[in-house]
Amino acid sequence: MQKPFMRIPYTGPLPPPIIIPRNANTATGAISAISNFLSAPPSPHLPPSLDNNARTVLLTGAGVSVASGLADYRGTAGTYTLNKTYRPIYYNEFTSNHEARKRYWARSFLGWTNLFKARPNDAHWAIKALGEKGLVSSVITQ
């Protein structure tokens, strides 16, 4: 048997998050905590060109969209948890193998109905509010 090209890490459920500060466990509390953090006075050690939020980027994971009905991969009902043989299609495989592309598009077709039904959740609205307040300039998500 050939050794797998790449091991998929963290296939088990992840532990619950530790929320700091404690009041950030609601959308309003999270917006307030992030707003306070982002609007705090800049460190005196930063160069003047970095003492504003013009370049603040919010990096989020796929978990933000789970509450919208999109599938997770590592939760209790996640793909990696329920199907131990599941593996993603990697870029080099997609670009070099027609069968891999067919498999990719077949899976995308099957998943489209859930994606079509998904709607923004509280996390999405909170991110939007941070952008409207001028506290975040960009968002990178999975």
Side-chain angles (χ1 to χ4, degrees):
M1 183 171 158
Q2 185 180 3
K3 185 177 177 183
F5 176 70
M6 183 182 291
R7 187 178 75 77
I8 301 169
Y10 312 115
T11 57
L14 296 174
I18 298 170
I19 298 174
I20 301 172
R22 288 189 180 279
N23 69 331
N25 63 347
T26 65
T28 304
I31 291 170
S32 174
I34 292 174
S35 294
N36 289 340
F37 174 77
L38 293 174
S39 60
S43 167
H45 304 291
L46 285 176
S49 64
L50 296 178
D51 67 356
N52 61 39
N53 293 318
R55 297 188 208 165
T56 302
V57 176
L58 196 61
L59 175 63
T60 69
V64 167
S65 297
V66 171
S68 290
L70 299 183
D72 68 348
Y73 287 91
R74 296 177 181 94
T76 55
T79 303
Y80 293 159
T81 306
L82 300 177
N83 182 358
K84 296 295 184 189
T85 62
Y86 176 85
R87 68 175 192 77
I89 299 169
Y90 297 103
Y91 176 77
N92 66 325
E93 186 180 8
F94 180 87
T95 58
S96 65
N97 184 310
H98 180 67
E99 291 303 314
R101 286 191 296 276
K102 286 178 14 183
R103 187 171 131 237
Y104 172 87
W105 289 115
R107 287 193 334 202
S108 293
F109 179 76
L110 292 174
W112 173 247
T113 53
N114 284 341
L115 186 61
F116 181 73
K117 290 187 283 186
R119 296 294 175 258
N121 64 50
D122 287 346
H124 296 114
W125 295 118
I127 291 167
K128 177 181 183 249
L130 290 169
E132 289 173 343
K133 289 182 175 192
L135 297 172
V136 174
S137 64
S138 302
V139 177
I140 300 171
T141 188
Q142 221 172 352

